[in-house]
Amino acid sequence: MPTKSNAMSADQKAFPAETGICSTHLAGVELQCDLSGCLFWPEESLLVVSDLHLEKGASFARRGSMLPPYDTAATIAVLAARIARFAPKRVISLGDSFHDATASEAMPEVFRLRLRDMMAGREWLWISGNHDPDAPVGLGGDHAEEAAIGALTFRHAPAPRFAYGEISGHLHPSARIVRRGKSVRRRCFATDGSRMVLPAFGAYAGGLNLRDRAFNGLFDEATLKAHVLGRDRLYTIGGRDLV
């Protein structure tokens, strides 16, 4: 990954590297990008995650494609750790929380109990995704197509039109850079200061190159930045350095 001198923004320098947090601003609102891929809004005590894709391994297995069945346990463990760290009053999951329409009901009870424990005592909103358009079964929380809080709007897929203050997921952004002849590609938060697309949070969710045509027209290239998830910290990469 790039060195501190060419990769770290002035905002990042406010945090020790070991915290794994990068401060950013969207539509005038200060937010914190976390190394895990979650987003925290301190003023609202709000934690946001996207594309958990819980039970993806089980879904593939039902269709005859065998994947190691560890993704749900791994994803829930990371989510539980972030909730313990930030202690949010509210959580929004931006859709594709479950890999298919039956996953929430079919999920083993041990994972359902862990989710309920995380949800206890806080507001929890499930946003509709293309993989899970309906509310999860038997888990509680609220369910909506999208939500607006202050200057920000939360939805699963980015709107094709300009949407100031929009936070979405769906596209699983990743950033690819080349340094000294070596290529590195990792999940990232993508933002131009007006809208943001979150990285996929799920262990098996993968990533789509931010230079893929699916992102065409979403961002102002002059201000585009990728907050890239490194091994132990985030790196801020300007749009001109993405390949």
Side-chain angles (χ1 to χ4, degrees):
M1 296 298 294
T3 62
K4 287 184 181 181
S5 62
N6 62 11
M8 186 165 65
S9 70
D11 281 338
Q12 280 182 287
K13 294 176 183 177
F15 296 94
E18 65 270 17
T19 65
I21 289 176
C22 161
S23 180
T24 190
H25 289 81
L26 184 74
V29 174
E30 184 174 0
L31 303 169
Q32 294 175 357
C33 302
D34 183 77
L35 182 61
S36 67
C38 71
L39 184 72
F40 187 60
W41 185 357
E43 185 178 3
E44 294 289 335
S45 189
L46 171 64
L47 187 77
V48 188
V49 292
S50 188
D51 297 274
L52 303 177
H53 283 273
L54 296 172
E55 292 295 276
K56 182 174 182 176
S59 179
F60 270 61
R62 287 194 295 272
R63 293 161 174 79
S65 298
M66 302 307 294
L67 290 175
Y70 308 127
D71 58 306
T72 297
T75 301
I76 286 179
V78 176
L79 179 58
R82 295 304 89 187
I83 287 177
R85 179 179 188 177
F86 289 104
K89 294 180 180 178
R90 292 189 280 184
V91 174
I92 295 179
S93 185
L94 289 178
D96 287 1
S97 304
F98 302 89
H99 191 68
D100 62 34
T102 64
S104 64
E105 189 171 13
M107 186 168 57
E109 189 63 20
V110 62
F111 300 136
R112 294 168 62 82
L113 288 173
R114 290 204 70 187
L115 277 173
R116 290 194 194 103
D117 285 346
M118 282 187 269
M119 297 170 69
R122 55 178 50 93
E123 298 177 30
W124 195 287
L125 178 62
W126 305 102
I127 297 291
S128 294
N130 55 295
H131 281 259
D132 56 353
D134 300 319
V137 177
L139 287 174
D142 296 314
H143 183 263
E145 291 292 324
E146 60 181 50
I149 302 175
L152 304 183
T153 299
F154 302 86
R155 57 173 60 99
H156 176 59
R161 63 192 182 281
F162 177 69
Y164 187 71
E166 177 190 80
I167 296 177
S168 63
H170 180 59
L171 294 178
H172 301 199
S174 67
R176 178 173 176 258
I177 61 170
V178 176
R179 289 289 188 274
R180 298 174 184 174
K182 295 183 179 180
S183 173
V184 177
R185 179 171 161 178
R186 296 188 182 276
R187 299 184 194 191
C188 70
F189 297 83
T191 182
D192 61 358
S194 293
R195 71 197 311 178
M196 176 182 287
V197 181
L198 266 60
F201 196 85
Y204 283 178
L208 181 66
N209 193 328
L210 192 50
R211 287 309 185 196
D212 188 273
R213 63 182 180 181
F215 293 95
N216 287 354
L218 291 183
F219 300 111
D220 181 346
E221 284 292 321
T223 55
L224 173 62
K225 291 182 180 179
H227 300 302
V228 183
L229 312 186
R231 287 191 177 88
D232 55 9
R233 54 165 295 175
L234 290 102
Y235 298 82
T236 298
I237 309 297
R240 67 182 180 278
D241 293 321
L242 300 173
V243 296

